[in-house]
Amino acid sequence: MAEKLRETPLLDELQKGPWPSFVTEMKKSAAKNPMANDQMGILERSYKDRIGHWKHGGLVGVMGYGGGVIGRYSDLPKEYPECSEFHTIRVNQPAGWFYTSEVLRKLCDVWEKHGSGLTNMHGSTGDIILLGAKTAALEPTFSDLTEIGFDLGGSGSDVRTPSCCCGQARCEWACYDTMGFTHDLTMHFQDELHRPAFPYKFKFKMAGCPNDCVASVARSDMSIIGTWRDNIQIDQKELNAYVKGGRVDIQEDVVDRCPTGCIKWDGKAFAIDNSNCFKCMHCINVMPKALAPGKDRGATILLGSKAPIIGGALLSSVLVPFIKMDEGYDDIHELAEAIWDLWGEHGMNRERVGEFIQRIGLGNFLEQIGLDPEPEMIMHPRTNPYIFFELDEEEE
Ligand code: HEM
Ligand code: HEM
Ligand code: SF4
Ligand code: SF4
């Protein structure tokens, strides 16, 4: 039981709006837990001093693991002793973020017993984030987490906890089993996940279709996004129902918005030139009952996105245009390993794989990992209007 709640006049202001407030939640934890109480105090202090009072910490962790715990110390240990050590623990979330309420209760019990009781469900990495552990609490927390079936996630320069959309568990658009594949990657790359040995972090994110609900194209070094290579399925009866229903203006909402202009519609028949469709999902999203992804399904593998922390932001670009996902994942394991070998050897410290490719050039990169260039790999249309031919080609 905390002795007395910290005075927080500035934070209290944040409770006054009509919206829910994190301060209200923090006060509930602070009433039960001295660490959470001091954490609230130090946050109030930061608002007053207009400076953060957390330091990036030294190396802390659990035996045998290099990642999963991120060290945090406060620079005011005397004034806020309960949160002088306030490490973050990343816990590997279940694929697709499905839980039973029973296991959530157990997880919270472990965390109330050992830490501040504050969590971040879920972090941008996808993990369950337990905020605020003292150094001495790390091993006991880890051991109790293991007991209820959880493991730590990735942190630092390792494979980060793979994460995915709910895929076939709930979504009719999923073109492959994102959850199954995420589980496969997690188990296959346990060593890479727990023992940082790369130049920097490496993230896998899995999306079942090009809607990309996990934003993998912006947030992961390797995105595996479901797609199809045959024709979009059209149910003409359901399409007529949309026409009759009158809520969708097929010309304006669908045909005119197709980015490649590959849909033809004369008021009755709806036809797609599938060779020019680039699977943006727009038409399917607007008329989910009438249209669906094709039947020959698999995934596109993209590489290289990152947030703008060091250097600018990057989006992923296509590496493998199409791969079947129901015949085992050995090829993807090997591809990832080939990339790590090259980047591990020649990547600079804190250089993400996307930046590495920019530095050495895509041509060199492909040659080294043994992939052939494909037209889908372009990053953006060429802006240079001059086209040069080799002399002998011109003569032909
Ligand atoms: C005023 C209080 C706080 C606010 C409003 C806040 C807000 C946030 C937000 C918005 C994110 C990004 C979450 C996401 O995109 O999923 C985040 C991430 C995070 N925060 Fe906080 N935070 C607060 C306090 C703290 C404290 C006190 C700590 C630890 C000392 C902390 C540690 C973290 C960590 C470790 C992450 C990254 C989690 C991950 O993505 O893996 N936060 N926070
Ligand atoms: C001047 C202040 C700070 C700077 C410049 C800074 C910078 C960074 C950078 C560059 C990263 C790597 C992010 C990435 O590549 O995704 C990072 C990660 C992180 N930061 Fe900070 N940070 C600051 C303050 C803090 C504070 C005050 C906290 C917590 C109390 C914090 C918690 C974290 C955590 C938990 C991570 C994630 C580490 C990981 O993913 O392995 N940072 N920060
Ligand atoms: S990415 Fe596609 S398959 Fe996954 S949840 Fe979103 S819409 Fe469904
Ligand atoms: S998925 Fe996108 S590109 Fe393909 S037909 Fe529909 S709207 Fe056009």
Side-chain angles (χ1 to χ4, degrees):
M1 206 51 175
E3 300 189 342
K4 188 170 170 291
L5 278 196
R6 294 273 182 178
E7 300 278 324
T8 55
L10 293 172
L11 287 179
D12 296 349
E13 291 296 315
L14 297 175
Q15 284 182 289
K16 290 184 181 164
W19 43 80
S21 170
F22 71 93
V23 177
T24 307
E25 301 307 313
M26 264 173 19
K27 282 185 179 172
K28 285 187 207 161
S29 296
K32 290 198 285 193
N33 185 305
M35 287 182 80
N37 192 25
D38 270 8
Q39 187 274 335
M40 204 168 68
I42 207 168
L43 182 61
E44 173 75 15
R45 175 70 178 267
S46 290
Y47 277 34
K48 187 160 158 275
D49 296 351
R50 297 179 180 219
I51 188 170
H53 285 293
W54 300 108
K55 305 187 286 187
H56 271 93
L59 283 178
V60 280
V62 300
M63 192 66 100
Y65 282 34
V69 182
I70 305 156
R72 290 288 168 253
Y73 299 87
S74 120
D75 65 3
L76 299 170
K78 291 217 175 69
E79 286 157 82
Y80 303 93
E82 286 295 335
C83 64
S84 59
E85 294 165 352
F86 207 79
H87 312 313
T88 297
I89 303 180
R90 288 204 171 132
V91 181
N92 196 323
Q93 79 283 10
W97 299 290
F98 286 93
Y99 299 91
T100 59
S101 44
E102 189 195 356
V103 86
L104 278 177
R105 280 194 197 94
K106 285 185 184 165
L107 192 66
C108 293
D109 287 347
V110 168
W111 191 229
E112 290 199 327
K113 180 171 158 206
H114 294 292
S116 74
L118 296 170
T119 68
N120 173 10
M121 305 271 285
H122 295 85
S124 44
T125 45
D127 301 86
I128 303 158
I129 305 291
L130 305 180
L131 291 167
K134 293 180 180 169
T135 310
L138 292 173
E139 288 291 351
T141 309
F142 178 53
S143 139
D144 282 3
L145 285 171
T146 315
E147 201 69 31
I148 60 167
F150 284 94
D151 193 3
L152 299 191
S155 75
S157 298
D158 61 9
V159 167
R160 296 303 182 82
T161 316
S163 91
C164 63
C165 78
C166 59
Q168 288 172 344
R170 305 195 36 168
C171 186
E172 71 207 72
W173 290 327
C175 295
Y176 75 94
D177 180 2
T178 53
M179 292 174 60
F181 178 53
T182 299
H183 184 70
D184 169 88
L185 282 183
T186 307
M187 302 313 283
H188 192 83
F189 291 128
Q190 277 290 300
D191 194 30
E192 290 80 356
L193 212 159
H194 297 306
R195 290 170 198 94
F198 295 155
Y200 201 15
K201 63 181 91 169
F202 191 94
K203 300 180 182 175
F204 288 105
K205 292 199 197 295
M206 276 51 78
C209 81
N211 278 334
D212 195 10
C213 293
V214 280
S216 69
V217 76
R219 307 196 307 152
S220 57
D221 298 272
M222 191 183 266
S223 332
I224 294 93
I225 303 181
T227 188
W228 63 95
R229 58 182 171 184
D230 54 347
N231 298 341
I232 290 182
Q233 304 182 61
I234 304 177
D235 182 333
Q236 195 64 47
K237 230 175 80 203
E238 289 292 348
L239 201 100
N240 296 340
Y242 277 104
V243 178
K244 274 209 203 94
R247 303 234 312 258
V248 178
D249 180 335
I250 296 190
Q251 185 63 39
E252 197 172 300
D253 299 339
V254 183
V255 180
D256 292 352
R257 289 183 197 277
C258 167
T260 63
C262 70
I263 307 176
K264 277 217 170 71
W265 165 244
D266 59 8
K268 285 200 187 95
F270 186 90
I272 298 174
D273 169 10
N274 281 276
S275 64
N276 276 314
C277 159
F278 61 40
K279 281 83 180 171
C280 76
M281 290 295 289
H282 174 73
C283 57
I284 299 173
N285 290 336
V286 179
M287 302 193 292
K289 286 189 175 167
L291 305 176
K295 289 182 177 158
D296 184 9
R297 300 177 173 190
T300 300
I301 303 180
L302 300 96
L303 198 69
S305 63
K306 61 174 279 289
I309 302 201
I310 302 174
L314 289 176
L315 291 181
S316 290
S317 340
V318 172
L319 185 70
V320 178
F322 189 89
I323 185 167
K324 287 302 264 186
M325 292 296 282
D326 40 17
E327 295 157 7
Y329 307 121
D330 291 350
D331 288 349
I332 304 184
H333 299 156
E334 279 169 29
L335 179 64
E337 278 159 4
I339 292 169
W340 295 336
D341 280 349
L342 180 66
W343 169 61
E345 175 105 8
H346 301 287
M348 298 194 297
N349 190 27
R350 311 241 314 155
E351 181 177 49
R352 293 284 283 273
V353 78
E355 296 162 312
F356 174 65
I357 295 172
Q358 281 191 327
R359 180 164 62 84
I360 69 165
L362 183 64
N364 289 331
F365 179 79
L366 293 174
E367 196 182 312
Q368 292 296 322
I369 61 168
L371 277 186
D372 290 330
E374 308 237 13
E376 285 89 344
M377 292 172 179
I378 53 161
M379 279 189 189
H380 48 74
R382 58 182 295 150
T383 46
N384 176 350
Y386 298 102
I387 297 170
F388 298 98
F389 295 96
E390 296 290 331
L391 207 56
D392 50 344
E393 279 176 31
E394 244 175 77
E395 280 162 2
E396 269 165 23

